[in-house]
Amino acid sequence: MTNRRAFIAGLAGLPFATGPLAAIAQGSVRALAMPPLLDATRDRHFRLTAQKGKTDFTGLGGGETWGFNQSFLGPTLRLPAGASTQAQIDNTLSEKISVHWHGMLIPGEVDGGPHQTIEPGTTWFPELDLTQPPATLWYHSHVHGDTGRQVQRGLAGVIHVDDGRDDARGLPISYGVDDLTLVLQDRRFDRQGRIDYGLSMPDQMMGFMGNVILVNGQLGTQAVVPRGIVRLRLLNGSNARIYPLSFSDRREMHLIATDSGYLNQPVAIESLVIAPGERYEVLVDFSGGEAGTLVSSANPNQMMGGMMGGASTAGGAS
Ligand SMILES: [Cu+2]
């Protein structure tokens, strides 16, 4: 594949990672996998099953994780703009969850907030009538007092609201090829590689902060993209970490969309700051063939920043 070049999306190399994790971060680089695409634009129906699984993120063994239709996180939902889609959510877990459609402009009765829990062993059938313009949204459990833990476990995924006109707009539309969905999340792992969500006093005061960055639930990965313009749909699905993102060679990005959809025109930027829950879409030019490294500098909202370390790397170059 001589016309393709590597673009690394997720080599977590935080300077304060502990022993075994630091070794993994410096280890071999794997290909970044996208969440599976669940395209409901034709059927106007989709089904998500909240389920238990096991994930070994670090190679140290791993442990129980949760996901929709898989072990960790959920599929990317492609939903039609200007149409109604019937959803079916099965909860096979042993505790109540909810599925909140973050960013969706829909009535409260189908919004999936803390008032709409899905009890264990039950199914919820919300009808999602999308009257909003195309945008990148996300879904996540939103149980009162338990959202942080359940999202850490994996109950989250991305939504593309699609009006079928992106090709006419000249935007990349091949999912996972030149249209990449990147879910940025931080985690802590114990020595067995299980997700560690023990909340310390600073966690409770400042919000949970992990010491490794996962991209689509994966550590130490790179994405290979075609030469040309590549679209990155970025979601910060972390509890509290804010990511100031840029490419290590300061290459230009063109911001095309934010939480509510497309801008009137692209804006050339060198960096962007993405807070928890936010989405940004950027175009990056890979026609020159040089690999790029997407880097996150230190969380600007971090108490004791000096103690916790400075720059952290969300990507690495090849
Ligand atoms: Cu939300």
Side-chain angles (χ1 to χ4, degrees), residues 8-127:
I8 296 186
L11 183 64
L14 295 175
F16 47 89
T18 51
L21 292 171
I24 289 155
Q26 289 154 17
S28 61
V29 173
R30 294 168 299 144
L32 176 72
M34 291 291 112
L37 180 65
L38 211 173
D39 189 341
T41 52
R42 284 196 193 150
D43 289 1
R44 298 187 182 169
H45 169 270
F46 68 88
R47 182 175 184 176
L48 295 177
T49 301
Q51 62 190 56
K52 226 194 287 198
K54 192 190 169 195
T55 308
D56 183 3
F57 298 94
T58 62
L60 298 169
E64 183 178 313
T65 53
W66 294 354
F68 294 101
N69 306 356
Q70 56 184 4
S71 295
F72 186 70
L73 301 179
T76 296
L77 303 174
R78 183 181 282 166
L79 304 183
S84 186
T85 299
Q86 182 63 54
Q88 172 175 349
I89 321 292
D90 305 304
N91 180 10
T92 69
L93 296 166
S94 55
E95 60 184 89
K96 67 181 178 189
I97 63 163
S98 84
V99 177
H100 169 58
W101 317 103
H102 185 130
M104 214 177 263
L105 306 179
I106 46 169
E109 305 91 80
V110 289
D111 176 65
H115 58 298
Q116 271 164 341
T117 54
I118 311 168
E119 298 300 316
T122 67
T123 299
W124 182 47
F125 296 96
E127 190 180 331

Side-chain angles (χ1 to χ4, degrees), residues 168-239:
R169 290 183 181 102
L171 293 173
I173 56 164
S174 294
Y175 184 76
V177 179
D178 59 11
D179 180 1
L180 304 190
T181 291
L182 305 179
V183 180
L184 309 180
Q185 296 178 307
D186 59 347
R187 291 288 184 276
R188 283 180 213 147
F189 295 104
D190 67 14
R191 298 215 154 254
Q192 281 80 49
R194 297 173 300 199
I195 291 174
D196 176 4
Y197 192 60
L199 296 177
S200 66
M201 187 61 81
D203 293 337
Q204 292 181 39
M205 290 164 63
M206 298 295 292
F208 175 92
M209 225 63 80
N211 56 11
V212 288
I213 298 169
L214 302 177
V215 180
N216 299 344
Q218 297 150 67
L219 262 171
T221 57
Q222 69 176 29
V224 178
V225 296
R227 282 187 185 232
I229 304 294
V230 174
R231 172 185 196 163
L232 304 180
R233 303 183 190 237
L234 301 156
L235 161 69
N236 181 351
S238 310
N239 293 46

Side-chain angles (χ1 to χ4, degrees), residues 238-249:
S238 310
N239 293 46
R241 180 175 292 278
I242 298 168
Y243 301 88
L245 295 174
S246 59
F247 277 90
S248 57
D249 59 5

